[in-house]
Amino acid sequence: MFSKILIANRGEIAVRIIRTCKEMGIATAVVYSEPDRNSMATRMADEAYFIGGSSASQSYLNVDSVLLALSRSQADALHPGYGFLSENADFAQAVADAGKVFIGPSPSAMKVMGDKISARKTAEEAGVQGVPGRSHCVNSAQDVIDFAQEVDWPVAIKAAYGGGGRGMKVINSASEAESGIESTQREALASFGRSEIYLEKYLSWPRHIEAQIAIDKFGNGIFLGERDCSCQRRHQKLLEECPAPGLSPKVRQAMGQAALKIAKHCGYENLGTIEFLYEKDKFYFLEMNTRLQVEHPVTEMTTGLDLVRLQIEIAAGQSIKDKKATFDPNMHSIECRINAEDVSGGLFSPTPGTITQFDTPGGLGIRLDAGYQSGDSLPSFYDNLVAKLISWGPNRQIAIKRMLQALTEIKIQGIKTNIEAHKAILDHKDFQDNNYSTKWVEEKLNFSNISSLETTSPNKQLALQEQQIQAEVNGKLFNVKLWISPNSQLPQAIPAQASKPLSRSSRKHHGSASKTVIAPMQGVITKIAVEVGQSIAQGEIICVLEAMKMENNVLADQNGVVKEILVSVGDSLSNGDTIIIFE
Ligand code: ADP
């Protein structure tokens, strides 16, 4: 077994992996970026290594920095978590070349499944049908029109390297085909560095159901049950459950067999998830995720297995032959992703900020996997997942009730969250009656009266507190504990430094007579839609600000003519920075 694992990730998943390593007696090291210096994960890990940067590309996606941390930590294995470098085959190869174990599948299996077109082909070769579509690259509007003649509109144009709910356009008629192709290719190139696109029939009322599998080095494979991830917004999952409500044992078994067939066909090893769209009693292969999923806890709560431990054991060469497929379809588990986002009006816009108070829920059948604690800040550079709240019980009804209770107990102050949206979903008759699909949250739920801000604020005793200060020596972090009264001044162990030259001073102070458009949140400018001298009308898009992996249109709130643009594409802005001045 490994003696030390480097976790190349952050947030709740880094914390999750640390916990299992501690249980297994494995030492832990994490990497951290500038804004994560004092994160929950760096506080919990045995060691922490600075990899520089703030944006994901400068830090957690920076292969050289992560590899350097791996060598400095002298860990014998690396756990990539999810997102970031977890599905990067070249990175996995580089880890192996450095003589370390990458906890995940082989680079070749990752490559096959990393491209959605080759993944579709692999599924077909294994005898599993994909969503009706084209398993090759398409380039012209005519391709889209020809395909629609076979399957009817709407058609989805999808980026072969897309992910995270991005890189898909739905086309409803021939007249939209040309522009749909162009814009998907352009966006795919900008977001994923590759422009290849392909086609699928856009299913009108599907459910997203995925199969969890595990395969060891000896080819023993087990199916660990499915998860229903149909509650989504912007094609991103919000709430997941296990088992999928109403799925017949026959379909479940067929899905598990299909998933194992696909995985074995590409020589897959370790844990993986095969995603399917399910409609009218039929399931269709969608894609494979070659890593641990965010929603893995619902499988853990229904199987009793620790999936991170399983990943580590398989990577260390242990057999899973004697592990029983302990899936119990009578147990039920639900996960709510607690995100920092403003759900008002169904917008779900990200809201980075500082958590001033975090009261956690409890009770039988409740688990909380959080990446932050009270006092922690959510940087705008990464995703907006604060915590995952998981409930389980002997049936779905009890799992729903326990979750609803936990959602009333959890209190997060200082940032807006989607807690109220989760209550609305769980309370809804359609959800309780299994009458929903991947479109249901966006099309059927009404969020107009939902507030995102928790208002209750029970006063907390701030008596003697354990405080940590941090000392960073040659890029390695040391935590020092102090017990002090809250009024004491802590020494500044780390000289305050701007995490980046965030804003030109002129962005903050400008003539009060001018009209301005300001940044509504922290973020990075990805597009400027206006020019100096241009007339703008109220409601017009001024620029696009990317925060927490989401693009947000910044709009003019009144009419005018652009006098000065104070930002450029790529600039990092703070909340309140001036973007343009107009008159
Ligand atoms: P990503 O890799 O970005 O997660 P996926 O291909 O896994 O993209 O799809 C994400 C979600 O988008 C699905 O769960 C589903 O809601 C929707 N989706 C994708 N393809 C289709 C399709 N052909 N028809 C209907 N919905 C789709």
Side-chain angles (χ1 to χ4, degrees), residues 82-112:
Y82 52 67
F84 297 125
L85 294 170
S86 63
E87 292 182 285
N88 182 324
D90 295 339
F91 174 69
Q93 187 59 57
V95 170
D97 293 346
K100 315 278 183 175
V101 175
F102 179 86
I103 300 174
S106 67
S108 61
M110 280 164 90
K111 233 177 210 139
V112 169

PDB file of all heavy atoms in Angstrom, residues 82-112:
ATOM      1  N   TYR A  82     -11.640  15.078  -9.091  1.00  0.00           N
ATOM      2  CA  TYR A  82     -12.401  15.227 -10.349  1.00  0.00           C
ATOM      3  C   TYR A  82     -12.103  16.609 -10.928  1.00  0.00           C
ATOM      4  O   TYR A  82     -11.593  17.495 -10.236  1.00  0.00           O
ATOM      5  CB  TYR A  82     -13.898  15.021 -10.124  1.00  0.00           C
ATOM      6  CG  TYR A  82     -14.516  15.852  -9.020  1.00  0.00           C
ATOM      7  CD1 TYR A  82     -14.622  17.237  -9.126  1.00  0.00           C
ATOM      8  CD2 TYR A  82     -14.992  15.259  -7.857  1.00  0.00           C
ATOM      9  CE1 TYR A  82     -15.180  17.997  -8.122  1.00  0.00           C
ATOM     10  CE2 TYR A  82     -15.558  16.020  -6.839  1.00  0.00           C
ATOM     11  CZ  TYR A  82     -15.642  17.396  -6.983  1.00  0.00           C
ATOM     12  OH  TYR A  82     -16.184  18.147  -5.986  1.00  0.00           O
ATOM     13  N   GLY A  83     -12.433  16.796 -12.197  1.00  0.00           N
ATOM     14  CA  GLY A  83     -12.137  18.086 -12.847  1.00  0.00           C
ATOM     15  C   GLY A  83     -10.633  18.245 -13.019  1.00  0.00           C
ATOM     16  O   GLY A  83      -9.877  17.261 -13.001  1.00  0.00           O
ATOM     17  N   PHE A  84     -10.181  19.480 -13.198  1.00  0.00           N
ATOM     18  CA  PHE A  84      -8.763  19.808 -13.368  1.00  0.00           C
ATOM     19  C   PHE A  84      -8.038  18.767 -14.239  1.00  0.00           C
ATOM     20  O   PHE A  84      -8.428  18.538 -15.367  1.00  0.00           O
ATOM     21  CB  PHE A  84      -8.085  20.011 -12.007  1.00  0.00           C
ATOM     22  CG  PHE A  84      -8.655  21.172 -11.230  1.00  0.00           C
ATOM     23  CD1 PHE A  84      -9.144  21.007  -9.943  1.00  0.00           C
ATOM     24  CD2 PHE A  84      -8.730  22.440 -11.795  1.00  0.00           C
ATOM     25  CE1 PHE A  84      -9.684  22.082  -9.233  1.00  0.00           C
ATOM     26  CE2 PHE A  84      -9.265  23.522 -11.091  1.00  0.00           C
ATOM     27  CZ  PHE A  84      -9.739  23.332  -9.811  1.00  0.00           C
ATOM     28  N   LEU A  85      -6.988  18.099 -13.680  1.00  0.00           N
ATOM     29  CA  LEU A  85      -6.174  17.208 -14.516  1.00  0.00           C
ATOM     30  C   LEU A  85      -6.646  15.755 -14.471  1.00  0.00           C
ATOM     31  O   LEU A  85      -5.977  14.866 -14.996  1.00  0.00           O
ATOM     32  CB  LEU A  85      -4.707  17.281 -14.061  1.00  0.00           C
ATOM     33  CG  LEU A  85      -4.048  18.651 -14.290  1.00  0.00           C
ATOM     34  CD1 LEU A  85      -2.686  18.717 -13.598  1.00  0.00           C
ATOM     35  CD2 LEU A  85      -3.890  18.939 -15.776  1.00  0.00           C
ATOM     36  N   SER A  86      -7.817  15.518 -13.858  1.00  0.00           N
ATOM     37  CA  SER A  86      -8.219  14.133 -13.595  1.00  0.00           C
ATOM     38  C   SER A  86      -8.458  13.310 -14.857  1.00  0.00           C
ATOM     39  O   SER A  86      -8.362  12.093 -14.824  1.00  0.00           O
ATOM     40  CB  SER A  86      -9.474  14.097 -12.720  1.00  0.00           C
ATOM     41  OG  SER A  86     -10.551  14.706 -13.397  1.00  0.00           O
ATOM     42  N   GLU A  87      -8.788  13.972 -15.984  1.00  0.00           N
ATOM     43  CA  GLU A  87      -9.049  13.195 -17.207  1.00  0.00           C
ATOM     44  C   GLU A  87      -8.045  13.556 -18.302  1.00  0.00           C
ATOM     45  O   GLU A  87      -8.330  13.387 -19.482  1.00  0.00           O
ATOM     46  CB  GLU A  87     -10.499  13.407 -17.657  1.00  0.00           C
ATOM     47  CG  GLU A  87     -11.463  12.779 -16.657  1.00  0.00           C
ATOM     48  CD  GLU A  87     -12.929  12.894 -17.048  1.00  0.00           C
ATOM     49  OE1 GLU A  87     -13.490  14.000 -16.928  1.00  0.00           O
ATOM     50  OE2 GLU A  87     -13.509  11.884 -17.462  1.00  0.00           O
ATOM     51  N   ASN A  88      -6.887  14.033 -17.875  1.00  0.00           N
ATOM     52  CA  ASN A  88      -5.845  14.425 -18.822  1.00  0.00           C
ATOM     53  C   ASN A  88      -4.856  13.258 -18.975  1.00  0.00           C
ATOM     54  O   ASN A  88      -4.047  12.978 -18.088  1.00  0.00           O
ATOM     55  CB  ASN A  88      -5.157  15.688 -18.275  1.00  0.00           C
ATOM     56  CG  ASN A  88      -4.090  16.220 -19.204  1.00  0.00           C
ATOM     57  OD1 ASN A  88      -3.396  15.441 -19.856  1.00  0.00           O
ATOM     58  ND2 ASN A  88      -3.966  17.531 -19.258  1.00  0.00           N
ATOM     59  N   ALA A  89      -4.961  12.570 -20.115  1.00  0.00           N
ATOM     60  CA  ALA A  89      -4.163  11.351 -20.324  1.00  0.00           C
ATOM     61  C   ALA A  89      -2.662  11.663 -20.339  1.00  0.00           C
ATOM     62  O   ALA A  89      -1.858  10.871 -19.822  1.00  0.00           O
ATOM     63  CB  ALA A  89      -4.584  10.693 -21.636  1.00  0.00           C
ATOM     64  N   ASP A  90      -2.280  12.805 -20.906  1.00  0.00           N
ATOM     65  CA  ASP A  90      -0.840  13.143 -20.953  1.00  0.00           C
ATOM     66  C   ASP A  90      -0.301  13.354 -19.536  1.00  0.00           C
ATOM     67  O   ASP A  90       0.833  12.984 -19.228  1.00  0.00           O
ATOM     68  CB  ASP A  90      -0.605  14.409 -21.786  1.00  0.00           C
ATOM     69  CG  ASP A  90      -0.967  14.187 -23.250  1.00  0.00           C
ATOM     70  OD1 ASP A  90      -0.988  12.998 -23.662  1.00  0.00           O
ATOM     71  OD2 ASP A  90      -1.245  15.169 -23.954  1.00  0.00           O
ATOM     72  N   PHE A  91      -1.125  13.952 -18.690  1.00  0.00           N
ATOM     73  CA  PHE A  91      -0.703  14.157 -17.308  1.00  0.00           C
ATOM     74  C   PHE A  91      -0.546  12.808 -16.605  1.00  0.00           C
ATOM     75  O   PHE A  91       0.446  12.563 -15.910  1.00  0.00           O
ATOM     76  CB  PHE A  91      -1.722  15.040 -16.575  1.00  0.00           C
ATOM     77  CG  PHE A  91      -1.447  15.187 -15.102  1.00  0.00           C
ATOM     78  CD1 PHE A  91      -0.345  15.903 -14.653  1.00  0.00           C
ATOM     79  CD2 PHE A  91      -2.278  14.590 -14.158  1.00  0.00           C
ATOM     80  CE1 PHE A  91      -0.071  16.024 -13.293  1.00  0.00           C
ATOM     81  CE2 PHE A  91      -2.024  14.705 -12.804  1.00  0.00           C
ATOM     82  CZ  PHE A  91      -0.919  15.426 -12.364  1.00  0.00           C
ATOM     83  N   ALA A  92      -1.524  11.926 -16.798  1.00  0.00           N
ATOM     84  CA  ALA A  92      -1.453  10.597 -16.160  1.00  0.00           C
ATOM     85  C   ALA A  92      -0.179   9.876 -16.620  1.00  0.00           C
ATOM     86  O   ALA A  92       0.500   9.212 -15.824  1.00  0.00           O
ATOM     87  CB  ALA A  92      -2.684   9.778 -16.514  1.00  0.00           C
ATOM     88  N   GLN A  93       0.150  10.031 -17.895  1.00  0.00           N
ATOM     89  CA  GLN A  93       1.374   9.410 -18.424  1.00  0.00           C
ATOM     90  C   GLN A  93       2.611  10.018 -17.765  1.00  0.00           C
ATOM     91  O   GLN A  93       3.537   9.304 -17.380  1.00  0.00           O
ATOM     92  CB  GLN A  93       1.425   9.620 -19.952  1.00  0.00           C
ATOM     93  CG  GLN A  93       2.560   8.885 -20.643  1.00  0.00           C
ATOM     94  CD  GLN A  93       2.486   7.370 -20.432  1.00  0.00           C
ATOM     95  OE1 GLN A  93       1.493   6.746 -20.766  1.00  0.00           O
ATOM     96  NE2 GLN A  93       3.532   6.788 -19.845  1.00  0.00           N
ATOM     97  N   ALA A  94       2.589  11.351 -17.595  1.00  0.00           N
ATOM     98  CA  ALA A  94       3.748  12.032 -16.989  1.00  0.00           C
ATOM     99  C   ALA A  94       3.932  11.571 -15.541  1.00  0.00           C
ATOM    100  O   ALA A  94       5.065  11.424 -15.069  1.00  0.00           O
ATOM    101  CB  ALA A  94       3.553  13.544 -17.057  1.00  0.00           C
ATOM    102  N   VAL A  95       2.830  11.329 -14.848  1.00  0.00           N
ATOM    103  CA  VAL A  95       2.919  10.835 -13.463  1.00  0.00           C
ATOM    104  C   VAL A  95       3.585   9.450 -13.471  1.00  0.00           C
ATOM    105  O   VAL A  95       4.502   9.168 -12.684  1.00  0.00           O
ATOM    106  CB  VAL A  95       1.517  10.773 -12.801  1.00  0.00           C
ATOM    107  CG1 VAL A  95       1.559  10.047 -11.461  1.00  0.00           C
ATOM    108  CG2 VAL A  95       0.956  12.184 -12.622  1.00  0.00           C
ATOM    109  N   ALA A  96       3.148   8.602 -14.408  1.00  0.00           N
ATOM    110  CA  ALA A  96       3.729   7.256 -14.503  1.00  0.00           C
ATOM    111  C   ALA A  96       5.213   7.350 -14.881  1.00  0.00           C
ATOM    112  O   ALA A  96       6.055   6.635 -14.319  1.00  0.00           O
ATOM    113  CB  ALA A  96       2.963   6.426 -15.540  1.00  0.00           C
ATOM    114  N   ASP A  97       5.546   8.264 -15.807  1.00  0.00           N
ATOM    115  CA  ASP A  97       6.940   8.423 -16.220  1.00  0.00           C
ATOM    116  C   ASP A  97       7.824   8.879 -15.065  1.00  0.00           C
ATOM    117  O   ASP A  97       9.024   8.638 -15.050  1.00  0.00           O
ATOM    118  CB  ASP A  97       7.045   9.431 -17.374  1.00  0.00           C
ATOM    119  CG  ASP A  97       6.395   8.896 -18.649  1.00  0.00           C
ATOM    120  OD1 ASP A  97       6.124   7.673 -18.702  1.00  0.00           O
ATOM    121  OD2 ASP A  97       6.138   9.700 -19.572  1.00  0.00           O
ATOM    122  N   ALA A  98       7.196   9.577 -14.096  1.00  0.00           N
ATOM    123  CA  ALA A  98       7.964  10.036 -12.932  1.00  0.00           C
ATOM    124  C   ALA A  98       8.090   8.907 -11.900  1.00  0.00           C
ATOM    125  O   ALA A  98       8.599   9.116 -10.793  1.00  0.00           O
ATOM    126  CB  ALA A  98       7.278  11.253 -12.315  1.00  0.00           C
ATOM    127  N   GLY A  99       7.598   7.726 -12.246  1.00  0.00           N
ATOM    128  CA  GLY A  99       7.736   6.572 -11.355  1.00  0.00           C
ATOM    129  C   GLY A  99       6.687   6.542 -10.253  1.00  0.00           C
ATOM    130  O   GLY A  99       6.863   5.852  -9.244  1.00  0.00           O
ATOM    131  N   LYS A 100       5.606   7.307 -10.422  1.00  0.00           N
ATOM    132  CA  LYS A 100       4.565   7.356  -9.395  1.00  0.00           C
ATOM    133  C   LYS A 100       3.279   6.724  -9.939  1.00  0.00           C
ATOM    134  O   LYS A 100       3.099   6.604 -11.149  1.00  0.00           O
ATOM    135  CB  LYS A 100       4.263   8.810  -9.015  1.00  0.00           C
ATOM    136  CG  LYS A 100       5.481   9.672  -8.802  1.00  0.00           C
ATOM    137  CD  LYS A 100       6.055   9.495  -7.424  1.00  0.00           C
ATOM    138  CE  LYS A 100       7.235  10.438  -7.213  1.00  0.00           C
ATOM    139  NZ  LYS A 100       7.753  10.407  -5.869  1.00  0.00           N
ATOM    140  N   VAL A 101       2.378   6.402  -9.028  1.00  0.00           N
ATOM    141  CA  VAL A 101       1.122   5.768  -9.455  1.00  0.00           C
ATOM    142  C   VAL A 101       0.032   6.832  -9.598  1.00  0.00           C
ATOM    143  O   VAL A 101      -0.208   7.614  -8.670  1.00  0.00           O
ATOM    144  CB  VAL A 101       0.676   4.698  -8.433  1.00  0.00           C
ATOM    145  CG1 VAL A 101      -0.690   4.125  -8.802  1.00  0.00           C
ATOM    146  CG2 VAL A 101       1.718   3.597  -8.344  1.00  0.00           C
ATOM    147  N   PHE A 102      -0.590   6.859 -10.758  1.00  0.00           N
ATOM    148  CA  PHE A 102      -1.756   7.733 -10.970  1.00  0.00           C
ATOM    149  C   PHE A 102      -2.981   6.935 -10.534  1.00  0.00           C
ATOM    150  O   PHE A 102      -3.238   5.844 -11.068  1.00  0.00           O
ATOM    151  CB  PHE A 102      -1.837   8.106 -12.457  1.00  0.00           C
ATOM    152  CG  PHE A 102      -3.008   8.979 -12.803  1.00  0.00           C
ATOM    153  CD1 PHE A 102      -2.924  10.362 -12.670  1.00  0.00           C
ATOM    154  CD2 PHE A 102      -4.194   8.428 -13.272  1.00  0.00           C
ATOM    155  CE1 PHE A 102      -4.005  11.180 -12.984  1.00  0.00           C
ATOM    156  CE2 PHE A 102      -5.286   9.233 -13.591  1.00  0.00           C
ATOM    157  CZ  PHE A 102      -5.180  10.615 -13.448  1.00  0.00           C
ATOM    158  N   ILE A 103      -3.737   7.440  -9.576  1.00  0.00           N
ATOM    159  CA  ILE A 103      -4.897   6.681  -9.077  1.00  0.00           C
ATOM    160  C   ILE A 103      -6.066   6.924 -10.039  1.00  0.00           C
ATOM    161  O   ILE A 103      -6.810   7.894  -9.924  1.00  0.00           O
ATOM    162  CB  ILE A 103      -5.218   7.062  -7.623  1.00  0.00           C
ATOM    163  CG1 ILE A 103      -3.993   6.744  -6.758  1.00  0.00           C
ATOM    164  CG2 ILE A 103      -6.462   6.309  -7.119  1.00  0.00           C
ATOM    165  CD1 ILE A 103      -4.100   7.201  -5.330  1.00  0.00           C
ATOM    166  N   GLY A 104      -6.161   6.031 -11.011  1.00  0.00           N
ATOM    167  CA  GLY A 104      -7.166   6.164 -12.061  1.00  0.00           C
ATOM    168  C   GLY A 104      -6.830   5.192 -13.163  1.00  0.00           C
ATOM    169  O   GLY A 104      -5.938   4.351 -13.007  1.00  0.00           O
ATOM    170  N   PRO A 105      -7.540   5.290 -14.294  1.00  0.00           N
ATOM    171  CA  PRO A 105      -7.299   4.350 -15.393  1.00  0.00           C
ATOM    172  C   PRO A 105      -5.999   4.642 -16.139  1.00  0.00           C
ATOM    173  O   PRO A 105      -5.329   5.639 -15.860  1.00  0.00           O
ATOM    174  CB  PRO A 105      -8.500   4.581 -16.310  1.00  0.00           C
ATOM    175  CG  PRO A 105      -8.931   5.971 -16.015  1.00  0.00           C
ATOM    176  CD  PRO A 105      -8.616   6.240 -14.579  1.00  0.00           C
ATOM    177  N   SER A 106      -5.701   3.781 -17.097  1.00  0.00           N
ATOM    178  CA  SER A 106      -4.475   3.974 -17.887  1.00  0.00           C
ATOM    179  C   SER A 106      -4.675   5.167 -18.820  1.00  0.00           C
ATOM    180  O   SER A 106      -5.802   5.493 -19.214  1.00  0.00           O
ATOM    181  CB  SER A 106      -4.227   2.729 -18.729  1.00  0.00           C
ATOM    182  OG  SER A 106      -5.250   2.612 -19.697  1.00  0.00           O
ATOM    183  N   PRO A 107      -3.563   5.822 -19.207  1.00  0.00           N
ATOM    184  CA  PRO A 107      -3.686   6.951 -20.132  1.00  0.00           C
ATOM    185  C   PRO A 107      -4.393   6.560 -21.428  1.00  0.00           C
ATOM    186  O   PRO A 107      -5.173   7.345 -21.971  1.00  0.00           O
ATOM    187  CB  PRO A 107      -2.232   7.358 -20.402  1.00  0.00           C
ATOM    188  CG  PRO A 107      -1.475   6.877 -19.205  1.00  0.00           C
ATOM    189  CD  PRO A 107      -2.183   5.634 -18.743  1.00  0.00           C
ATOM    190  N   SER A 108      -4.174   5.315 -21.917  1.00  0.00           N
ATOM    191  CA  SER A 108      -4.788   4.958 -23.205  1.00  0.00           C
ATOM    192  C   SER A 108      -6.317   4.875 -23.079  1.00  0.00           C
ATOM    193  O   SER A 108      -7.051   5.363 -23.944  1.00  0.00           O
ATOM    194  CB  SER A 108      -4.209   3.646 -23.738  1.00  0.00           C
ATOM    195  OG  SER A 108      -4.483   2.625 -22.828  1.00  0.00           O
ATOM    196  N   ALA A 109      -6.813   4.308 -21.973  1.00  0.00           N
ATOM    197  CA  ALA A 109      -8.272   4.238 -21.776  1.00  0.00           C
ATOM    198  C   ALA A 109      -8.849   5.648 -21.611  1.00  0.00           C
ATOM    199  O   ALA A 109      -9.938   5.955 -22.102  1.00  0.00           O
ATOM    200  CB  ALA A 109      -8.595   3.386 -20.559  1.00  0.00           C
ATOM    201  N   MET A 110      -8.094   6.505 -20.927  1.00  0.00           N
ATOM    202  CA  MET A 110      -8.570   7.884 -20.745  1.00  0.00           C
ATOM    203  C   MET A 110      -8.677   8.599 -22.083  1.00  0.00           C
ATOM    204  O   MET A 110      -9.597   9.380 -22.317  1.00  0.00           O
ATOM    205  CB  MET A 110      -7.598   8.671 -19.856  1.00  0.00           C
ATOM    206  CG  MET A 110      -7.761   8.397 -18.397  1.00  0.00           C
ATOM    207  SD  MET A 110      -6.330   8.961 -17.490  1.00  0.00           S
ATOM    208  CE  MET A 110      -6.811  10.608 -17.114  1.00  0.00           C
ATOM    209  N   LYS A 111      -7.709   8.325 -22.953  1.00  0.00           N
ATOM    210  CA  LYS A 111      -7.700   8.985 -24.265  1.00  0.00           C
ATOM    211  C   LYS A 111      -8.929   8.568 -25.081  1.00  0.00           C
ATOM    212  O   LYS A 111      -9.612   9.409 -25.663  1.00  0.00           O
ATOM    213  CB  LYS A 111      -6.426   8.603 -25.022  1.00  0.00           C
ATOM    214  CG  LYS A 111      -5.695   9.822 -25.486  1.00  0.00           C
ATOM    215  CD  LYS A 111      -4.394   9.533 -26.169  1.00  0.00           C
ATOM    216  CE  LYS A 111      -3.498  10.721 -25.904  1.00  0.00           C
ATOM    217  NZ  LYS A 111      -2.139  10.398 -25.610  1.00  0.00           N
ATOM    218  N   VAL A 112      -9.199   7.280 -25.105  1.00  0.00           N
ATOM    219  CA  VAL A 112     -10.341   6.780 -25.877  1.00  0.00           C
ATOM    220  C   VAL A 112     -11.634   7.432 -25.391  1.00  0.00           C
ATOM    221  O   VAL A 112     -12.480   7.858 -26.177  1.00  0.00           O
ATOM    222  CB  VAL A 112     -10.443   5.243 -25.745  1.00  0.00           C
ATOM    223  CG1 VAL A 112     -11.750   4.728 -26.304  1.00  0.00           C
ATOM    224  CG2 VAL A 112      -9.269   4.584 -26.423  1.00  0.00           C
TER     225      VAL A 112
END
